[in-house]
Amino acid sequence: MPHANAIVVIGVAGSGKSTVALGLARHYGYVFLDADDFHADDAKAQMAAGVPLMDAQREPWVAELGRQLQTLAARGSSSVLAFSGLRAIHRQRLRDCGVPMRFVYLDAPPATVAGRLESRLGHFMPAVLLASQYEALEEPVGEADVIRVEIGGTPSQVLGRAIAMLDASPVP
């Protein structure tokens, strides 16, 4: 596959980022990282209470994600990161960490995601924050290193589309 040292799977909460990212990591033999694991406890508590994070609160988190990608790349490991990446500036901050990367944007209709969030158990992100996710979303239009994958179908179908698109598209 013409790829980079990191693949970053982006999209709103409930779009399937972790599932697709884990599948890509297994397929390519890369290290899997879930950005949710790097949120501060107070940020998780805030979101669990139904209060969205502000961009300033996300900055240290995004910086840490960039450091994690750098550390893995320095060790010679490629990675797949599940990361919301809703804001263009946050995607750019990851690019600026110096690790060559590709993005997979999971394009998800709100009704589909709402149903997923309502049935999801044990996650700090409540369904009530879905509207704020779409409000924060700056779709990656015109970003050459992003492939767009529709989330319709089964998780394995979505993963298959992502793999096919990654394998077929040259690194910009």
Side-chain angles (χ1 to χ4, degrees), residues 35 38-39 55-71 81 83 89-99 101:
F38 298 93
H39 270 302
D55 282 342
Q57 294 172 289
R58 292 184 183 107
E59 284 299 322
W61 174 60
V62 175
E64 177 58 26
L65 296 174
R67 284 190 293 276
Q68 293 293 323
L69 296 177
Q70 288 171 328
T71 298
L81 171 65
F83 166 61
I89 192 167
H90 297 143
R91 295 188 296 272
Q92 189 57 48
R93 293 248 193 283
L94 283 187
R95 290 179 185 107
D96 291 344
C97 82
V99 175
M101 64 186 64

Side-chain angles (χ1 to χ4, degrees), residues 86-143:
L86 301 178
R87 299 274 198 209
I89 192 167
H90 297 143
R91 295 188 296 272
Q92 189 57 48
R93 293 248 193 283
L94 283 187
R95 290 179 185 107
D96 291 344
C97 82
V99 175
M101 64 186 64
R102 305 288 305 278
F103 291 84
V104 174
Y105 169 53
L106 298 180
D107 192 358
T112 301
V113 176
R116 289 180 178 185
L117 288 179
E118 290 293 338
S119 64
R120 185 161 75 171
L121 300 174
H123 195 278
F124 62 85
M125 177 66 97
V128 69
L129 288 181
L130 182 58
S132 72
Q133 291 270 294
Y134 280 99
E135 287 170 15
L137 177 62
E138 297 171 356
E139 291 205 30
V141 176
E143 296 177 35

